[in-house]
Amino acid sequence: MIVTLNPRILHFSKLHPLSRSSSYIYRTRNVSLTTNCKLQKPENGNQRSSGNLTKTISLSDSAPPVVEETDVEVSGDRVVKGGGNGGGGGGDGRGLGFLKKLPRKVLSVLSNLPLAITEMATIAALMALGTVIEQGETPDFYFQKYPEDNPVFGFFTWRWIFTLGFDHMYSAPIFLGMLVLLAASLMACTYTTQIPLVKVARRWSFLKSDEAIKKQEFADTLPRASIQDLGMILMGDGFEVFMKGPSLYAFKGLAGRFAPIGVHISMLLIMVGGTLSATGSFRGSVTVPQGLNFVMGDVLAPIGFFSVPADAFNTEVHVNRFTMDYYDSGEISQYHSDLSLRDLNGKEVLGKTISVNDPLRYGGVTIYQTDWSFSALQVTKDGEGPFNLAMAPIKINGDKKLYGTFLPVGDTNAPNVKGISMLARDLQSIVVYDLEGKFAGIRRPNSKLPIEVNGMKIVIEDAIGSTGLELKTDPGVPVVYAGFGALMLTTCISYLSHSQIWALQNGTTLVVGGRTNRAKNEFPDDMNRLLDQVPELINKNPSVVSEQS
């Protein structure tokens, strides 16, 4: 007869092993009983013996934490009924408790995978459309580029753009609405699918029959092995091992079960950060000549209904100097702007020389170096001056720019004023033309070398450039960065396999089974490697040897 006792009710005080009949004394606080029974000898299909079995049993003074049996089991990635799992559950989704108020049918629709894929595809299409349609331009720009008399694709005109808000796509109601819908789908999927999977995965489950263990993805039987030896080997391989009587349960890689929830949270952070950027930012651009200044708040304009000015908007920006670096071929390689930030009292609070890809950040405002322009040319004529001649753009095509100015000669009130023309592509060389428009020579600013034009000595003292700056505030950047960082981390964690192993000691026979949610092809090899390390039990009882002989 086999006796099964509840460890929460009975406390093992002493064990006296006998030969074939044994007496065990169990004591509680108020009750003591003695049970006499004969140990049933296990039969082995391959080997039979009639000797006594000697086995050491280790007992714990404290009851194991798992004593209840439930009927919930995880099969693959679904939660189904009919398993034998113990208590000790995990996260219960309290953070998403408000979803309990929604009807189950609504949650079922929101957590539908095809719906979520459609939402993501729609958002991707809107983002692609936002890169094709110019953002933030004036109405006249859209009137001319998307006219009604010549619609794009036969129907798309400026009316579509203004009606749907495609001129500010990332803060348009249709785009923000799709983000909200996708966020609702992610939360519904997390609440209805991922959290229940984690709760079941965290339970300590014990299987009480050979048939249940043999139904697992991998199963094997060790005829002469100890469950304690298997437990030690599994612990050495990184498994968390739990034992209850003749049953064993072990798992590892539980973090892989939490990874999908982390992925969903990361995507929510990215969407929240993107929404903050689209609805709570300020942006502006300015071109400032060297030596002048401007106030941040005069340049920055809100681009969303959540935009709130910061204290740094009262800061004054002074352009100390603007310079450019050149390649050996003469092409421009880099722009530099030496900036000083001053408070309302004129005190400098920060100074930095910025360049492309090296901005200045202060009080939540970021100042980028984006462009340049030619402001003025400082010249002297026959020792007179210097004169500051404003440079006007003649041709601008991307990086190909051309600026020109005019130094009048003679009577400036005459109807046909003549003068010396000067052209420049950048700040390093000036081309000079005489009164007849003929080429007179090239001079570098600050070279102090005069050039004679129509009997006049012209010296180009300096070329004064203007820096093109872009200013913006973006409260969503830290949230987006955190979301992408968490997304990369949880994506890597999601590749961890959640492996579970069950074992049942039946006399000297050990039945072992297991399954995993990933790396299913490698799992049998790993299991065989672990089982090969389990030592075989050797019977050293002399009486058994004599009976077998």
Side-chain angles (χ1 to χ4, degrees):
M1 179 180 67
I2 301 176
V3 180
T4 303
L5 300 172
N6 192 327
R8 279 192 175 175
I9 300 175
L10 302 180
H11 173 71
F12 292 93
S13 60
K14 188 176 292 184
L15 175 64
H16 299 283
L18 302 178
S19 57
R20 295 183 64 87
S21 294
S22 300
S23 176
Y24 298 93
I25 300 176
Y26 304 92
R27 290 187 300 186
T28 62
R29 292 183 178 179
N30 301 318
V31 180
S32 64
L33 59 91
T34 302
T35 300
N36 295 320
C37 64
K38 290 185 178 181
L39 296 178
Q40 182 181 9
K41 184 176 179 180
E43 295 183 0
N44 192 329
N46 298 329
Q47 178 182 0
R48 297 184 179 181
S49 61
S50 58
N52 295 334
L53 298 178
T54 302
K55 184 174 182 61
T56 303
I57 302 177
S58 300
L59 301 175
S60 174
D61 290 336
S62 60
V66 180
V67 295
E68 292 145 359
E69 299 296 326
T70 65
D71 58 350
V72 182
E73 183 180 2
V74 177
S75 176
D77 286 333
R78 297 179 296 111
V79 182
V80 298
K81 300 290 184 179
N85 297 339
D92 54 2
R94 292 190 182 93
L96 300 176
F98 66 93
L99 295 176
K100 295 180 181 180
K101 300 179 181 179
L102 295 178
R104 185 174 297 274
K105 189 173 182 179
V106 175
L107 290 176
S108 177
V109 172
L110 287 175
S111 59
N112 183 265
L113 180 59
L115 175 63
I117 294 176
T118 302
E119 293 164 355
M120 288 189 287
T122 303
I123 292 173
L126 292 175
M127 294 176 66
L129 192 60
T131 61
V132 175
I133 300 176
E134 294 80 358
Q135 301 292 296
E137 299 292 341
T138 61
D140 289 338
F141 174 86
Y142 299 104
F143 294 154
Q144 297 177 8
K145 189 160 186 179
Y146 303 95
E148 290 186 303
D149 56 353
N150 186 22
V152 180
F153 301 120
F155 70 94
F156 192 81
T157 66
W158 57 267
R159 292 187 182 275
W160 285 88
I161 295 177
F162 291 135
T163 301
L164 299 177
F166 286 171
D167 58 328
H168 51 280
M169 175 67 76
Y170 306 108
S171 59
I174 185 173
F175 185 81
L176 297 179
M178 291 305 303
L179 289 182
V180 171
L181 186 58
L182 178 58
S185 294
L186 290 175
M187 289 188 289
C189 178
T190 302
Y191 179 76
T192 60
T193 303
Q194 300 301 333
I195 290 178
L197 284 174
V198 171
K199 289 173 66 176
V200 173
R202 290 188 63 183
R203 293 193 178 116
W204 302 348
S205 57
F206 296 95
L207 301 182
K208 298 298 185 180
S209 65
D210 296 354
E211 292 76 12
I213 294 179
K214 291 178 180 178
K215 289 180 181 179
Q216 303 304 316
E217 297 173 0
F218 174 89
D220 199 358
T221 301
L222 304 181
R224 303 186 64 84
S226 170
I227 197 170
Q228 284 85 0
D229 293 335
L230 175 63
M232 295 298 295
I233 291 171
L234 293 177
M235 289 177 62
D237 198 57
F239 281 84
E240 295 286 339
V241 179
F242 306 94
M243 298 182 65
K244 178 184 177 184
S247 300
L248 176 144
Y249 172 67
F251 72 87
K252 73 174 179 179
L254 183 60
R257 286 291 186 183
F258 287 91
I261 298 178
V263 170
H264 290 180
I265 294 175
S266 302
M267 294 179 65
L268 290 173
L269 285 175
I270 294 172
M271 289 188 290
V272 169
T275 303
L276 285 176
S277 298
T279 61
S281 300
F282 286 83
R283 187 165 297 175
S285 58
V286 63
T287 300
V288 185
Q290 174 180 301
L292 299 184
N293 51 41
F294 65 94
V295 178
M296 288 184 181
D298 295 340
V299 176
L300 291 167
I303 62 173
F305 46 84
F306 286 146
S307 299
V308 178
D311 294 337
F313 283 24
N314 295 322
T315 304
E316 184 182 79
V317 182
H318 184 78
V319 181
N320 299 319
R321 184 165 180 79
F322 174 74
T323 58
M324 293 192 294
D325 297 335
Y326 303 90
Y327 293 111
D328 294 338
S329 61
E331 298 292 330
I332 300 172
S333 64
Q334 183 62 279
Y335 320 135
H336 303 275
S337 296
D338 183 20
L339 306 179
S340 295
L341 304 186
R342 301 171 181 173
D343 59 17
L344 295 176
N345 298 322
K347 180 181 179 182
E348 182 174 339
V349 295
L350 182 64
K352 182 178 179 180
T353 299
I354 68 171
S355 58
V356 178
N357 297 326
D358 184 20
L360 181 150
R361 294 181 173 86
Y362 176 75
V365 180
T366 304
I367 304 178
Y368 297 92
Q369 177 72 68
T370 58
D371 203 357
W372 71 279
S373 181
F374 209 138
S375 176
L377 193 64
Q378 193 175 79
V379 300
T380 59
K381 181 185 69 171
D382 293 331
E384 298 178 358
F387 304 101
N388 289 329
L389 306 176
M391 297 290 286
I394 298 176
K395 179 181 179 182
I396 298 179
N397 184 16
D399 292 335
K400 305 298 183 181
K401 300 182 180 182
L402 182 63
Y403 296 87
T405 190
F406 182 78
L407 177 62
V409 177
D411 186 6
T412 58
N413 296 321
N416 295 322
V417 178
K418 292 187 176 182
I420 300 172
S421 301
M422 303 178 193
L423 300 178
R425 294 185 304 171
D426 48 47
L427 302 180
Q428 65 176 345
S429 59
I430 309 298
V431 182
V432 182
Y433 297 88
D434 61 15
L435 298 177
E436 304 297 330
K438 297 180 180 179
F439 175 75
I442 299 176
R443 287 293 183 271
R444 289 182 176 272
N446 299 314
S447 66
K448 305 301 181 182
L449 295 177
I451 181 173
E452 187 170 342
V453 182
N454 298 114
M456 296 175 290
K457 291 184 177 181
I458 304 298
V459 177
I460 300 176
E461 301 289 345
D462 194 9
I464 303 173
S466 296
T467 178
L469 303 176
E470 182 174 351
L471 289 75
K472 73 174 186 177
T473 66
D474 196 340
V477 167
V479 183
V480 172
Y481 283 177
F484 273 110
L487 181 63
M488 291 186 289
L489 178 61
T490 53
T491 301
C492 294
I493 294 176
S494 67
Y495 284 97
L496 294 177
S497 299
H498 178 229
S499 301
Q500 297 172 283
I501 295 176
W502 293 267
L504 183 62
Q505 185 83 59
N506 188 0
T508 60
T509 302
L510 184 62
V511 182
V512 184
R515 68 177 174 218
T516 186
N517 66 331
R518 298 187 185 277
K520 294 183 179 292
N521 293 332
E522 292 79 8
F523 185 66
D525 296 335
D526 294 338
M527 287 295 299
N528 288 324
R529 174 180 57 82
L530 293 173
L531 296 182
D532 287 343
Q533 302 177 32
V534 179
E536 182 180 1
L537 293 178
I538 300 177
N539 197 336
K540 297 182 179 181
N541 194 326
S543 61
V544 175
V545 176
S546 62
E547 290 181 10
Q548 290 179 346
S549 60

